[in-house]
Amino acid sequence: PKQVVPTEPNAHAIQPDASNRFVLATSLGGNLVKQFRFDGATGTLSPNDPPAVPVKAGAGPRHFIFHPTNGRLYLVNELEASVYVFAYDAKNGTLKELQVVSALPEKKPDKVWAADLHLTLDGKYLYASERGTSTIAGFKVDPGDGTLTPIGHTATEQQPRGFAIDPSGHYLLAVGQLSDSMTSYLIDPGSGKLTRLKQ
């Protein structure tokens, strides 16, 4: 190992930013996003200032994604199925909370268990999967401030842990932990709504 960095419990995801000068990492059990400086010459991390940004206790930060153009970062929390919108300061590699929205449909599951999130290539729509209800939540991304407006929920494969948007940006494909199939959806470019195509 080049370096071993201890974290709070359940380190879940880690990504560098576009500049390759900063690295962010989630701790599901610690309810925070770690903020690091990255030294490309040595390949090592050091704590940024501040070293972490907290989320609500018990939220369970899981996966996150950088918006390609608007300076926002989107984070899905596994244990409450919330999506956080952060302003990302690219100069300093730090986050500032802007918005929190729910990825749950009206009927709540016995166990909340969010998993994954992805943006369309044009950055207009964001989707998040929730395993307790076997749904994918859709959100419209505001072109100005990057905040999210819900556009609805789509029933999908049982316990949708992973899904992807194809390279054309026109289709979403979902799989489930308790299913033996994959379902494809057409993404409406005007509304972001999903239309089921084939399983």
Side-chain angles (χ1 to χ4, degrees):
K2 182 73 174 180
Q3 181 187 25
V4 177
V5 181
T7 73
E8 288 74 12
N10 313 111
H12 224 293
I14 185 166
Q15 288 188 60
D17 73 349
S19 74
N20 207 40
R21 296 171 50 237
F22 302 102
V23 167
L24 300 174
T26 54
S27 165
L28 188 146
N31 294 296
L32 51 79
V33 181
K34 304 277 279 187
Q35 301 181 142
F36 296 101
R37 296 185 181 95
F38 176 62
D39 185 331
T42 63
T44 55
L45 302 173
S46 59
N48 205 342
D49 182 21
V53 172
V55 299
K56 180 183 172 185
R62 185 174 166 90
H63 291 175
F64 62 93
I65 188 168
F66 290 93
H67 193 279
T69 60
N70 71 8
R72 301 294 182 253
L73 179 139
Y74 302 94
L75 165 73
V76 66
N77 293 281
E78 179 172 329
L79 304 180
E80 71 169 12
S82 59
V83 177
Y84 276 59
V85 182
F86 291 98
Y88 180 66
D89 182 342
K91 181 180 178 181
N92 297 302
T94 54
L95 300 171
K96 180 181 179 183
E97 182 185 320
L98 295 180
Q99 183 190 25
V100 183
V101 295
S102 177
L104 286 172
E106 285 188 19
K107 186 177 180 182
K108 305 298 188 287
D110 293 333
K111 178 181 181 181
V112 175
W113 205 17
D116 203 5
L117 84 168
H118 293 283
L119 283 160
T120 53
L121 298 186
D122 58 12
K124 289 174 63 176
Y125 303 108
L126 176 82
Y127 301 92
S129 65
E130 202 288 308
R131 287 171 285 183
T133 55
S134 295
T135 57
I136 294 175
F139 301 91
K140 183 177 182 179
V141 179
D142 187 284
D145 62 13
T147 56
L148 302 175
T149 301
I151 56 177
H153 295 80
T154 302
T156 190
E157 299 286 341
Q158 193 172 0
Q159 289 190 3
R161 178 170 179 152
F163 69 95
I165 295 171
D166 84 309
S168 76
H170 298 148
Y171 304 100
L172 185 149
L173 301 102
V175 293
Q177 284 180 265
L178 295 183
S179 68
D180 298 315
S181 56
M182 176 172 66
T183 300
S184 60
Y185 303 87
L186 176 68
I187 301 172
D188 186 299
S191 69
K193 291 187 177 180
L194 302 178
T195 300
R196 185 179 184 273
L197 296 175
K198 287 188 177 183
Q199 186 179 46

